[in-house]
Amino acid sequence: MRIDVLTLFPEMFESVFQASILGKAREKELVRLQAVNFRDYAENKHNTVDDYPYGGGGGMVLKPDPIFRAVEALEPPEDGARPRVLLLCPQGRRYDQRFAEELSGEKHLVLICGHYEGYDERIREHLVTDEVSIGDYVLTGGEIPAMAIIDSVVRLLPGVLGNEQSAVTDSFSTGLLEYPQYTRPAEFRGWAVPDVLISGHHANIEKWRRQQSLERTWKRRPDLLEGQELSKQDRELLDRLERERQASQQQQ
Ligand code: ADE
């Protein structure tokens, strides 16, 4: 996979692209990551990339020309496939694990990051394939959202995570939140690890983990339970939790 980020602050990506899992994925040539400064594609004397909005009003607007030219200057892929061009903005489609999985199937992603300014609408209409938001809050620029997207996509690429299992069982990939994990010591400051995990009884451990995942999801993110495939045992557990909740409400 190839990922190109268009930004006015390419230096923000240096350490992110070098460290940890992304750095290793790059070393293993599982992904090509590049940050491009689109100011280099401004064709005016002062290299300006933004201008005042037509019709007046506050703020500045990113000009279409440097961004179009920066995308067009990217090395074309061997198979001539068109890239998925993502524009980071709070108005975009809400990013989630399903979106990450969808993007991880692409060969080439281009991410466009604005900073403070708005974007000329023609960028949205004629260059971009997807507008993406990482959540209902406003950041000063698209760089941090771009990093979140790149990180979540690259970790899904085959061979990137050492233990393939960890991408499959983590929160959201299963549709449920992850169960609690423990490591040594078995007792820490008087707090013990649940007995079942030390029992060595694999079937019971699996059952406990499933129950914990379900209970945690029911408590924290009940919206995720809708549309889940649930076994009879799963339903019995959720019914019991619901009855207990109602009983404790009546007591109050
Ligand atoms: N730029 C500013 N805020 C953003 C957000 N929430 N998501 C994506 N890009 C943004």
Side-chain angles (χ1 to χ4, degrees), residues 88-90 132-135 137-142 145:
L88 285 317
C89 59
V132 189
S133 163
I134 61 160
Y137 43 87
V138 181
L139 296 151
T140 55

Side-chain angles (χ1 to χ4, degrees), residues 20-56:
S20 188
I21 308 265
L22 289 189
K24 290 212 186 74
R26 216 177 175 194
E27 265 171 36
K28 288 197 249 173
E29 297 189 3
L30 299 169
V31 65
R32 259 179 71 184
L33 301 169
Q34 182 184 215
V36 173
N37 191 338
F38 60 84
R39 194 181 295 285
D40 296 343
Y41 293 87
E43 258 199 334
N44 48 65
K45 221 173 40 199
H46 299 291
N47 286 352
T48 52
V49 290
D50 54 8
D51 208 336
Y52 296 102
Y54 273 119

Side-chain angles (χ1 to χ4, degrees), residues 77-89:
E78 280 151 32
D79 60 2
R82 286 166 64 85
R84 193 96 174 239
V85 183
L86 314 179
L87 184 80
L88 285 317
C89 59

Side-chain angles (χ1 to χ4, degrees), residues 22-242:
L22 289 189
K24 290 212 186 74
R26 216 177 175 194
E27 265 171 36
K28 288 197 249 173
E29 297 189 3
L30 299 169
V31 65
R32 259 179 71 184
L33 301 169
Q34 182 184 215
V36 173
N37 191 338
F38 60 84
R39 194 181 295 285
D40 296 343
Y41 293 87
E43 258 199 334
N44 48 65
K45 221 173 40 199
H46 299 291
N47 286 352
T48 52
V49 290
D50 54 8
D51 208 336
Y52 296 102
Y54 273 119
M60 297 293 272
V61 176
L62 284 172
K63 294 156 74 66
D65 188 54
I67 295 184
F68 269 76
R69 294 194 329 114
V71 172
E72 285 154 8
L74 293 172
E75 193 187 311
E78 280 151 32
D79 60 2
R82 286 166 64 85
R84 193 96 174 239
V85 183
L86 314 179
L87 184 80
L88 285 317
C89 59
Q91 302 84 357
R93 169 177 161 195
R94 179 86 78 85
Y95 195 65
D96 59 12
Q97 190 63 25
R98 196 167 57 93
F99 205 165
E101 280 161 17
E102 189 183 316
L103 294 179
S104 71
E106 298 282 343
K107 289 211 177 104
H108 185 193
L109 302 178
V110 177
L111 285 79
I112 303 174
C113 309
H115 219 89
Y116 331 113
E117 308 92 336
Y119 300 98
D120 185 288
E121 191 64 15
R122 287 161 293 189
I123 298 171
R124 291 196 156 88
E125 285 178 347
H126 304 293
L127 184 64
V128 160
T129 59
D130 305 79
E131 296 181 36
V132 189
S133 163
I134 61 160
D136 291 342
Y137 43 87
V138 181
L139 296 151
T140 55
E143 282 77 10
I144 290 170
M147 289 173 198
I149 291 173
I150 293 168
D151 189 275
S152 60
V153 168
V154 171
R155 69 187 286 284
L156 294 174
L157 300 179
V160 168
L161 292 185
N163 175 5
E164 294 291 329
Q165 207 46 30
S166 43
V168 178
T169 60
D170 57 11
S171 293
F172 300 113
S173 292
T174 60
L176 297 177
L177 300 184
E178 205 174 346
Y179 48 76
Q181 299 263 40
Y182 295 87
T183 186
R184 276 178 284 201
E187 192 177 311
F188 169 69
R189 299 190 178 176
W191 299 304
V193 171
D195 285 338
V196 59
L197 296 178
I198 299 169
S199 68
H201 192 300
H202 290 292
N204 283 352
I205 292 172
E206 281 310 305
K207 191 170 154 206
W208 182 85
R209 286 182 166 163
R210 177 77 187 170
Q211 287 175 345
Q212 291 289 320
S213 270
L214 277 167
E215 185 166 344
R216 201 169 253 196
T217 311
W218 177 81
K219 277 196 186 130
R220 299 185 188 180
R221 292 291 307 275
D223 56 301
L224 295 177
L225 289 171
E226 281 160 33
Q228 269 287 315
E229 248 183 63
L230 298 174
S231 69
K232 190 162 158 267
Q233 274 163 341
D234 291 342
R235 292 207 177 281
E236 280 166 6
L237 173 77
L238 294 175
D239 287 346
R240 180 169 63 74
L241 291 170
E242 195 58 47

